[in-house]
Amino acid sequence: MLHILVQLISIVNFGYAIYWDLFILDVPETFAGKWKYLTFWNLWIQLIYFSISLLNNIFGSHSVTKESTSSLQSIRDFMFATVAFPIGQFVGIIFWTLFNIDRELVFPKALDAFFPNYINHMMHTTVIPVQLLELILLYHMYPTKKSGMATTFAFCLIYLTWTMIIAHFGGIWVYPIFEVLEPVPRVGFMLVCSMFGGLLYFIGEFLNNVVWSKHNKIGKEELETQSTRVKGKKPKKAE
């Protein structure tokens, strides 16, 4: 039941943050509006992910093998592995790291007049603990590293390309740190961020395997049993 509570709290948290950002926040909009910010993308990713995860509890499955996995669980697990966990952790970690180094690089003090402190935490802080709880409370089957990493890096590439488009056509850099950096360091920073996103994918998979090592073992045993039956052999008895 705890995982359901976490999912409900997360849906309310990210849903309200999106509502507040769209309908309550009163600041002049620039090119691309809210959609130029990775934080806003992440709010939608988390809302969609936790909604799917909640629906999977009702209509889906909690299987340890792909053969008996529902479509909802497959979507949930793939989304968790490739974007929900790594991008969610990325947003929280990078935001607060830059904020504590020099907040003017990512969230200028002038924005405090528009963003209450609790909204800032709903957007940038809560994602870290709720995604970690989701990892701990629910087993997720990770995709192959090839497809998983390709999806994570594709997402990073799409967003970085989007920031370039905004800079070219809108004449603004999405975050102040891009503006203060020279072209070469700027590209270097973007590459480091992309690599960090990929690292978070591996960290998520590693933690999932550590926490759910028993389930991984059960899943492998079931696959071996099914493979043996297909070949017409009797499965080995458990010792």
Side-chain angles (χ1 to χ4, degrees):
M1 289 298 293
L2 181 56
H3 63 279
I4 295 178
L5 180 61
V6 171
Q7 291 160 1
L8 288 171
I9 291 173
S10 300
I11 290 170
V12 171
N13 176 86
F14 298 116
Y16 180 75
I18 290 171
Y19 172 81
W20 189 92
D21 208 3
L22 288 173
F23 301 108
I24 298 178
L25 177 62
D26 185 20
V27 294
E29 287 296 343
T30 55
F31 185 83
K34 318 288 186 183
W35 290 102
K36 61 178 170 288
Y37 300 111
L38 182 59
T39 294
F40 193 69
W41 285 37
N42 182 58
L43 290 175
W44 280 103
I45 288 172
Q46 302 304 326
L47 178 62
I48 293 170
Y49 168 77
F50 280 105
S51 297
I52 291 173
S53 190
L54 180 63
L55 288 173
N56 182 68
N57 292 327
I58 304 170
F59 304 107
S61 63
H62 292 286
S63 174
V64 296
T65 60
K66 291 184 179 180
E67 286 71 19
S68 55
T69 302
S70 67
S71 297
L72 275 173
Q73 185 185 343
S74 296
I75 295 171
R76 182 202 70 179
D77 290 352
F78 188 81
M79 189 173 181
F80 175 85
T82 58
V83 289
F85 182 85
I87 301 305
Q89 297 299 311
F90 177 89
V91 166
I93 293 171
I94 292 296
F95 176 84
W96 288 114
T97 298
L98 292 175
F99 187 94
N100 284 286
I101 292 173
D102 182 358
R103 64 170 300 175
E104 297 301 317
L105 296 175
V106 64
F107 195 83
K109 193 173 179 60
L111 293 178
D112 288 347
F114 304 97
F115 285 83
N117 197 42
Y118 76 92
I119 289 292
N120 193 8
H121 284 296
M122 289 177 75
M123 292 180 171
H124 301 108
T125 307
T126 55
V127 65
I128 295 177
V130 295
Q131 276 296 338
L132 287 173
L133 283 171
E134 184 79 356
L135 183 149
I136 293 169
L137 297 174
L138 288 174
Y139 172 69
H140 297 83
M141 278 190 288
Y142 267 63
T144 62
K145 282 185 173 59
K146 183 177 180 180
S147 63
M149 286 298 299
T151 303
T152 303
F153 276 119
F155 178 89
C156 293
L157 180 61
I158 289 170
Y159 182 73
L160 289 176
T161 302
W162 178 229
T163 64
M164 297 294 187
I165 292 172
I166 293 171
H168 179 74
F169 291 101
I172 57 171
W173 286 106
V174 175
Y175 297 105
I177 189 170
F178 290 152
E179 188 172 354
V180 300
L181 291 174
E182 295 296 326
V184 174
R186 185 187 299 139
V187 172
F189 178 75
M190 291 179 175
L191 289 175
V192 169
C193 286
S194 297
M195 288 188 289
F196 183 52
L199 177 62
L200 286 169
Y201 172 90
F202 284 115
I203 290 175
E205 184 177 32
F206 172 76
L207 292 176
N208 184 72
N209 290 338
V210 170
V211 173
W212 297 99
S213 58
K214 182 178 178 180
H215 282 66
N216 287 329
K217 183 178 179 181
I218 293 173
K220 289 179 181 178
E221 289 176 350
E222 287 186 12
L223 286 174
E224 289 174 358
T225 300
Q226 291 170 6
S227 177
T228 303
R229 286 174 178 169
V230 168
K231 294 178 180 178
K233 299 178 182 179
K234 292 183 179 180
K236 294 181 180 180
K237 292 183 179 180
E239 296 181 357

